[in-house]
Amino acid sequence: TWFLSGGYDHNLSELSAKYQRITLHSENTFHLSNHFQVSAGLYFIQNNNESGQNGYGMITSGNGASLYPYAMLGDNNGNALPVIRNYRQVYLDTVGQGKLLDWKYYPLDDYKHIMNTVKKYDLLASLKLNYRINKSWMAELQYRYENQRTTGQILYDPQSFYARDIINSFTQLNYTTGQVTYKVPKGGILDNSNSLLEAHNSRAQLNYTNTWQQHQLTGVAGAEIRETKNSVNAYRTYGYNNDILTYGNVDYTTIHPILVTGFPSFIPTTSSMGKNLNRFISAYINLAYTYKERYTLSASGRRDASNLFGVNTNQKWTPLWSSGAAWQISREPFYQLSWLPYLKFSLTYGYSGNVDPNQSAVTTIMYQSTSPYTLTPYASINRYANPDLRGEKTSQLNARIDFKTNGNRISGSMEYFMKKGIDLYGLTPIDYTTGIGNTVLKNTASMKGNGFDVELNTINTDKKIKWLTTLLFNLYKDKVTDYYTNIARANSYIYGANVYTLSPLKGYPVYSVFSYRWAGLDALTGNPIGYFNKQVSGNYNSIVTDSLQNAVYNGHAFPVTQIALRNTFSYGPFSFSLNIVGKFGYYFRRSSIDYSGLFNNGTGHADFALRWQKPGDEMHTNVASMMYPLIGNRDVFYSGSEVLVEKCDHIRLQYIALSYECTKKQFKKLPMQRLRVFANASNLGILWKANSVQMDPDYLNNVIPPSATIAIGCNISF
């Protein structure tokens, strides 16, 4: 038997960025005898990405600062105009006495002189041998090999601002003689990067199946070995000419003065090399016993090991296991519910594991570039010895009920689960006199969570017009049960807008939203006011470094409850589906004016127009007044205050789909066996949300939320 498929994608974004993908998939199975079977597979993917124009927010004034308001990118005829970047225009008009390259920045045209391309080739080959020893036993050998190559290239041609800026910065000009010396040769700058991933995966397994009288026993046992090797390298070429493939030489080991400041500096380079090797081994066994097709007992066990953890061999292994029981109640003689012909209850409990491939049991060092002080290569400690580090483990208990009514008019499942994570990674305080910092990663944290999963499928009408409904409901809550840390300051857990990181605080969710207590605006100055020692205060340094116990816990940062409702209508060959999704029980902190960002980087916000400006404004606004000189922690307090926290609950129309399908059986002259034409529309917008802020809760960090997507295509089977 054989299977062959292929695909081609060619996408062009609204910013003229290009994406192409070619996929080829082949599977072949050879039955060499009644007992011996060989299967071989090959999967190949090629991706090509090319950059396009600058998007919103990608044009800056240099040094990370936002582009100043009302910057003119072009004149009335559409010709590119320079904008200020790094240096004032008046200064650029005179610097170098006209002997330098044009140092002005033209963002409207600059993207045309930068070509960023990424090509990825992914080859996955597999081989599987099956040998049936007898009726009950079968041996299986599997091998899989993956080779993934990624090449990246960024070409800044001679007209790009990036190339002109570096060339000018390292140019040496003798103002007496007028001699110009280019330490960076004129021409383009080419950055190349290459990465290679090679993975080997081998498995040997025995399968057992036996049925006698009213008993059935199945099982598998085996071992698996995996190896993953990653290697990367990058380098830069100056003075590059893409037409004739020539380049220049630069001296990376000598310090050169920067033209504008005179500050000594090395010519920048992207050269780097790295290699990583991870090995894993697993041994496992799974057994399941069924009696009278009603009662099932199952058990599994495995031991995983890797070269990442433990100095001693017995410390490298992580034992994991699970067990379960199932009871098909509807097969019992006493079961009399004819309207519910299928009812099954199952219960499982076990452990799963997780490892962090970035850790190491021994001290490792990483070699760096040339030191500006000794002019020799230097190294730094990359990871410190951590011989007791183990893999994380999670225990989980699941209780599930599956059911079906007559004709499957109503079917579904209800499941309750409890999770408990132990030996979780956490930063643990250590003696700072060791010289390796204040914390080290250890297995010192734990957490627990529980929730419900409900799936309900209904056949509402089953005549010429068919109407099917699927309802998915999920409820999940978690909290930290242990975390060894001596950090309890509010500013260690309270961040600005839409910044959510782990909140390892005992008794609270893993991802939480905390805020500074808000007491309004000062009636005379418009300064934001908070609380310190349970008293109204404007001492911002004390408020932001106060104990977290005096802050406000707003709630979960991620949804507690999620609901999805999908309806499908069909009439003959036509089908129409729509999916509505709801997320509830979580919070976010919206952004507002940050005067530090405004003055230092030119980052503004629409709330600036709503700021307090005169006494009485505090009655109708919560936006702090503008103050100069800046008080840093004043902005920190306001940006992290509870007045900016909003509910994130919302309901959205996730997608709609329309399709038409016909077969050769219906239309004898159809040149293919099956034809399906479809149109899908996704990201169609929000139907309801709990706040009045003009932000999409699913894309809080996007300045411009993604637009609706419409896809049209067809599937053909011959």
Side-chain angles (χ1 to χ4, degrees), residues 277-306:
L277 176 66
N278 290 330
R279 291 192 176 106
F280 300 89
I281 184 172
S282 298
Y284 57 89
I285 183 171
N286 298 325
L287 294 172
Y289 168 73
T290 301
Y291 177 64
K292 290 185 177 182
E293 297 183 338
R294 303 176 207 163
Y295 317 107
T296 300
L297 296 175
S298 63
S300 68
R302 65 183 296 135
R303 294 191 71 190
D304 296 335
S306 76

Side-chain angles (χ1 to χ4, degrees), residues 488-490 505 508 514 517 534 546-553:
R489 297 191 305 271
L505 190 67
Y508 289 92
F514 294 96
R517 292 188 180 276
K534 299 182 180 180
D546 195 10
S547 170
L548 187 64
Q549 294 180 348
N550 298 323
V552 178
Y553 166 65

